[in-house]
Amino acid sequence: MALLETANLHAAYGQTRVLHGISFSMEEGTITTLLGANGAGKTTTLRALCGMVRTEGEVRFGGQRIDGRATEDIVRLGIAHVPDGRGTFVNLTTEENLRLGAYTRKDRAAIDADLERVYGYFPRLGERRAQQAGTLSGGEQQMLAVSRALMLRPRLMLLDEPSFGLAPLIVRELFGILRALNQKEHVSMLLVEQNAAMALDLADHAYLIETGRVVLSGTSGEIKSNDAVRRSYLGY
Amino acid sequence: MEPFIHQVLAGLATGGIYASVALALVMIYQATHLVNFAQGELAMFSTYIAWSLINAGMPYWGAFFLTVGLSFVLGVVIERVVIRPVENSPVLAVVVVFIALLVILNSVTGWIYTFTIKTFPSPFPGQPLFGNKYMSSHEIGAIGVTLVVLLLLYVFFRFTPLGLAMRAAAQNPESSRLVGIRVGWMLALGWGLAAAIGSVAGMMVAPIVFLDPNMMGGVLLYAFAAALVGGIDNPAGAVFGGFLVGVLENVLGAFVIGNELKLAVALVLIIGVLTVRPSGLFGKVHVTRV
Ligand SMILES: Nc1ncnc2c1ncn2[C@@H]1O[C@H](COP(=O)(O)OP(=O)(O)O)[C@@H](O)[C@H]1O
Ligand SMILES: [Mg+2]
């Protein structure tokens, strides 16, 4: 059974229809990437999955229908969203941001242990644990967003352009950690990226989205060797 | 010198009450960016509840804590029933609801209890504590109660997961939902807490100004001035502002402009802050693109 599955998913902002029947699925333990140009509807797809935009169509998580549910309830199923723009609580400290990630958990001792685990992955966050999160650099805030999501102990992470605005070296470090999280802790990931080359290196499967529709899908290897994708998204 | 010290200390006592109400205003403001004009009347109504309980024979502190609890529930219910439906309405609509709430609470109280002035008991002894000649026991007690309330609030917001979630919901609702916080309920809790704080302020001020349906009018104005002086989005600033306004009011009233014109101090402060430094002494400066 697929971990996450959408069937004929539509979404609109007011009168503006943005998704026109997206269907895709991903298996537990895998990394799947959604590729597409700016404005294709990738962010909207992630928002639709966790009830942040009005939708029609089906979304199933672990076989259960979750479309139409409130965002707060979807989070409780173990879906952590690293949003577009990072969603930092800028007036709170780094550590408070992280503790909020574990807001729905009741296992206090394990939360403290997870904080240390996250600081292990991102030592810079540990050094800045008492600092106001709004004063962190862009890269640090992106790591904070990923870490905040990890504090949920999610089954599935939705990552919206984690590489956006980061220096190449930091992107590589971040993607390395994402790979480790997937391999060691078996966190499933749905990754939205404009940086198609890096996303395809990390992911097992890929879907290409154009103007709110899936136009191509396959394993990362297949997508990488597709001529049209190479020309339009990989640039060689 | 002695009368001056007396006025400063008395100012600290009423200042603590302004600080509490200012804090209640700031709590709602941080979550909604609106000033709850009904905050004072809500506190007045709570004080009448306490008066009824005490008159029914309940011991003072029993009535006190029951009133705080009932006020909390009342605040939550008002948010859920009255404020929530207009949550996404234009600012003006919400302000009209606040003012309607103010008028309704005022006249309902007058209708139930009449507008005749009543005395309200103080839980503190009639003789000055420790034989001091500067402050009445009630003034010292009111400062003590205020400080306890402030300390409890600080601990709640700073050190508990729920307090953290309320701060988060006020400043970033979307990210809050993404970590599972029920933002609407946090707002209702904020109203409950604000009403509870207000009830304490009402019960502490009533022995000084006497109990009548209009007793909080002046207090709300001073509290609003206090919140503005401290920075309407800064809880610590509002508390400081409350004590400052209390002292200024008493000292200026006694030695400079006379007691009849005391309320003008609040108005001058409000207008002065709004024109010279709208973000207050400690508030963040907001820049709006036009
Ligand atoms: N809040 C919004 N209101 C109206 N239209 C929006 C909103 N957000 C995005 N859109 C539109 O929806 C389309 C898809 O946007 P988005 O999902 O953000 O694309 P992507 O993430 O792939 O760049 C774009 O045409 C965009 O202009
Ligand atoms: Mg996007």
Side-chain angles (χ1 to χ4, degrees):
Chain A
M1 183 180 58
L3 173 68
L4 179 73
E5 194 172 11
T6 71
N8 205 21
L9 186 65
H10 292 254
Y13 296 101
Q15 297 298 312
T16 322
R17 296 180 156 276
V18 174
L19 302 185
H20 310 278
I22 296 230
S23 302
F24 73 91
S25 73
M26 64 177 287
E27 298 300 317
E28 179 120 47
T30 63
I31 300 181
T32 297
T33 182
L34 303 179
L35 303 175
N38 213 346
K42 307 180 297 294
T43 294
T44 306
T45 303
L46 294 194
R47 293 171 66 88
L49 293 175
C50 47
M52 298 166 75
V53 56
R54 201 164 46 82
T55 61
E56 281 164 42
E58 285 184 23
V59 181
R60 284 175 192 278
F61 181 64
Q64 217 181 350
R65 284 283 289 267
I66 61 166
D67 46 273
R69 291 207 201 172
T71 307
E72 304 91 288
D73 296 319
I74 293 172
V75 173
R76 284 171 169 76
L77 300 173
I79 300 182
H81 189 158
V82 179
D84 182 37
R86 299 165 192 145
T88 310
F89 295 95
V90 293
N91 296 324
L92 303 179
T93 66
T94 300
E95 183 145 327
E96 285 172 333
N97 269 265
L98 293 174
R99 287 195 179 277
L100 282 169
Y103 174 72
T104 55
R105 292 171 52 185
K106 298 291 166 251
D107 45 346
R108 281 225 186 172
I111 291 173
D112 287 339
D114 281 355
L115 264 180
E116 294 312 316
R117 197 169 56 96
V118 159
Y119 291 145
Y121 280 117
F122 300 106
R124 248 164 311 168
L125 294 182
E127 291 160 22
R128 289 161 175 62
R129 62 175 77 190
Q131 192 172 320
Q132 251 201 3
T135 65
L136 299 179
S137 74
E140 288 161 353
Q141 287 194 38
Q142 192 65 62
M143 295 180 183
L144 180 59
V146 171
S147 304
R148 198 173 60 226
L150 280 177
M151 290 301 292
L152 180 69
R153 287 220 179 159
R155 263 178 95 184
L156 171 65
M157 271 173 96
L158 311 177
L159 295 141
D160 199 341
E161 301 207 32
S163 72
F164 185 80
L166 303 189
L169 207 65
I170 309 218
V171 174
R172 216 165 305 145
E173 182 189 339
L174 183 65
F175 273 54
I177 291 172
L178 292 179
R179 185 189 301 274
L181 284 168
N182 174 253
Q183 287 173 353
K184 286 196 224 145
E185 312 198 12
H186 311 292
V187 184
S188 313
M189 298 180 186
L190 181 59
L191 171 69
V192 159
E193 262 301 334
Q194 286 205 46
N195 187 337
M198 290 214 65
L200 285 170
D201 279 342
L202 183 66
D204 309 296
H205 291 269
Y207 290 82
L208 183 61
I209 295 178
E210 275 172 14
T211 55
R213 288 182 182 82
V214 173
V215 293
L216 192 65
S217 68
T219 65
S220 294
E222 287 164 6
I223 300 287
K224 247 187 264 188
S225 56
N226 180 294
D227 283 337
V229 171
R230 271 210 342 240
R231 271 193 303 275
S232 314
Y233 298 96
L234 298 172
Y236 56 84
Chain B
M1 199 60 202
E2 215 167 86
F4 181 76
I5 293 175
H6 177 80
Q7 289 301 335
V8 169
L9 293 174
L12 288 179
T14 42
I17 289 158
Y18 303 154
S20 305
V21 178
L23 201 56
L25 291 177
V26 168
M27 277 177 56
I28 305 275
Y29 182 86
Q30 282 188 315
T32 61
H33 292 272
L34 292 167
V35 173
N36 178 9
F37 294 107
Q39 198 74 59
E41 303 309 281
L42 210 50
M44 174 276 297
F45 188 74
S46 299
T47 313
Y48 271 96
I49 295 177
W51 183 84
S52 298
L53 293 173
I54 292 170
N55 265 27
M58 200 179 261
Y60 182 90
W61 289 110
F64 179 93
F65 287 112
L66 185 56
T67 299
V68 172
L70 289 173
S71 303
F72 177 85
V73 174
L74 182 66
V76 171
V77 169
I78 287 179
E79 199 282 334
R80 292 280 90 175
V81 177
V82 183
I83 306 300
R84 194 169 188 204
V86 294
E87 210 169 38
N88 300 316
S89 311
V91 174
L92 200 57
V94 188
V95 170
V96 168
V97 170
F98 284 160
I99 291 173
L101 210 54
L102 183 162
V103 174
I104 290 170
L105 282 168
N106 187 289
S107 37
V108 164
T109 313
W111 178 59
I112 300 177
Y113 296 98
T114 77
F115 283 87
T116 348
I117 290 174
K118 295 175 169 51
T119 55
F120 189 87
S122 165
F124 307 107
Q127 284 77 41
L129 284 178
F130 321 116
N132 83 85
K133 51 186 191 293
Y134 293 115
M135 292 177 89
S136 72
S137 299
H138 182 76
E139 285 171 336
I140 295 176
I143 292 178
V145 168
T146 304
L147 292 180
V148 169
V149 169
L150 297 180
L151 184 71
L152 286 176
L153 283 173
Y154 177 77
V155 169
F156 172 74
F157 280 111
R158 187 74 181 69
F159 296 111
T160 70
L162 188 59
L164 178 59
M166 284 181 69
R167 285 192 286 150
Q171 59 177 259
N172 193 338
E174 179 154 289
S175 286
S176 297
R177 285 192 190 94
L178 283 179
V179 296
I181 296 170
R182 301 190 191 283
V183 172
W185 274 107
M186 294 303 123
L187 202 53
L189 274 184
W191 268 78
L193 275 182
I197 299 166
S199 74
V200 175
M203 287 183 280
M204 287 299 116
V205 81
I208 302 173
V209 301
F210 296 106
L211 184 58
D212 88 287
N214 298 316
M215 74 169 188
M216 292 303 282
V219 174
L220 185 71
L221 204 57
Y222 286 122
F224 184 48
L228 278 177
V229 166
I232 186 92
D233 53 7
N234 184 325
V239 169
F240 175 82
F243 284 106
L244 183 73
V245 168
V247 170
L248 277 180
E249 173 217 355
N250 265 282
V251 171
L252 293 179
F255 305 115
V256 185
I257 53 179
N259 267 323
E260 294 74 16
L261 282 175
K262 269 198 330 192
L263 210 53
V265 174
L267 287 174
V268 169
L269 276 174
I270 290 170
I271 293 165
V273 170
L274 286 179
T275 47
V276 177
R277 201 178 152 81
S279 53
L281 292 178
F282 312 106
K284 280 185 209 69
V285 178
H286 291 282
V287 183
T288 309
R289 279 174 183 271
V290 287

